[in-house]
Amino acid sequence: MPRKLSFNALILAGGQSSRMGQDKALLLVKGIPFIQQIYHVAAQCCESVYLISPWPERYYSILGNNSKIHFLAESTKGEGSLVAFLQGLKQIEKQTDWLLLLACDLPLLNPEILLNWCKNLQDISPDILAYVPQSNNFWEPLCGFYRPEILPDLEDFINCGGRSFQTFLETVSTCAIALGDREQKMLLNCNTPDDLKRIN
């Protein structure tokens, strides 16, 4: 019997939300803040859930009473999701076989789909460092799985000035998750007030 893999999740909540005009993590869908909904989905799939943000205290009152949550302080602002991922991974790497990275603006996340993806990871070749949804040659990196062993490549890429997740995933061994209509719908990013109206 293969060893059971361990999974942790890292939620990124440090974006500027410029197109929305307010913190997307605190927006409500069916009366529930995005960040709370995403936490509950992640908690169904993972042993621990980490949230990294330049302002983690903003979310204490919403998530602080949950047993699986851990808050991490992002030391830089405005550097983008790749840098936030690096900072979080450095603090989590020794505690997990795979890390599920999630943006805070995925209000339609489906735990059943994520759990099915988790099951597939048992069969992923050891040389694969990332398992990420892809559609029309575009990666969806903020709902993807990463091995901690990706850390040196990630650090080198960022130290050389790289900030594009799309470019980074082309430099490491990445396995694509094929998407059907149901999975595509789940990956809706809520970026604008019009997006929010469509899901509420």
Side-chain angles (χ1 to χ4, degrees), residues 58-193:
R58 193 179 288 182
Y59 312 111
Y60 290 169
S61 63
I62 298 173
L63 297 178
N65 291 328
N66 294 291
S67 60
K68 288 188 175 184
I69 192 69
H70 305 273
F71 295 95
L72 305 176
E74 187 180 343
S75 61
T76 55
K77 297 180 183 179
E79 287 284 338
S81 57
L82 207 60
V83 172
F85 176 34
L86 173 63
Q87 291 187 23
L89 184 57
K90 281 183 172 181
Q91 300 177 67
I92 302 169
E93 60 166 325
K94 294 182 175 19
Q95 302 170 46
T96 191
D97 291 310
W98 285 94
L99 183 68
L100 170 59
L101 185 66
L102 295 170
C104 70
D105 60 354
L106 296 168
L108 302 182
L109 275 184
N110 184 310
E112 179 187 349
I113 292 173
L114 291 179
L115 284 167
N116 283 333
W117 290 352
C118 287
K119 291 176 186 175
N120 295 338
L121 293 171
Q122 191 75 57
D123 300 319
I124 296 288
S125 170
D127 63 321
I128 298 295
L129 296 178
Y131 183 56
V132 180
Q134 187 183 47
S135 177
N136 298 320
N137 295 316
F138 182 84
W139 298 107
E140 297 283 358
L142 301 186
C143 185
F145 299 86
Y146 301 87
R147 290 191 198 270
E149 290 81 2
I150 205 170
L151 180 58
D153 295 295
L154 178 60
E155 195 158 26
D156 287 347
F157 182 80
I158 288 173
N159 287 342
C160 290
R163 293 295 183 272
S164 166
F165 235 127
Q166 298 296 319
T167 303
F168 172 65
L169 288 174
E170 297 298 335
T171 70
V172 295
S173 52
T174 303
C175 179
I177 302 174
L179 300 176
D181 291 343
R182 190 163 167 248
E183 291 84 4
Q184 287 271 22
K185 181 179 179 181
M186 181 189 81
L187 293 173
L188 170 74
N189 293 105
C190 191
N191 290 316
T192 68

Side-chain angles (χ1 to χ4, degrees), residues 19-30:
R19 284 184 286 172
M20 185 63 72
Q22 57 182 302
D23 186 350
K24 289 189 286 186
L26 299 178
L27 294 173
L28 302 180
V29 57
K30 296 180 173 55

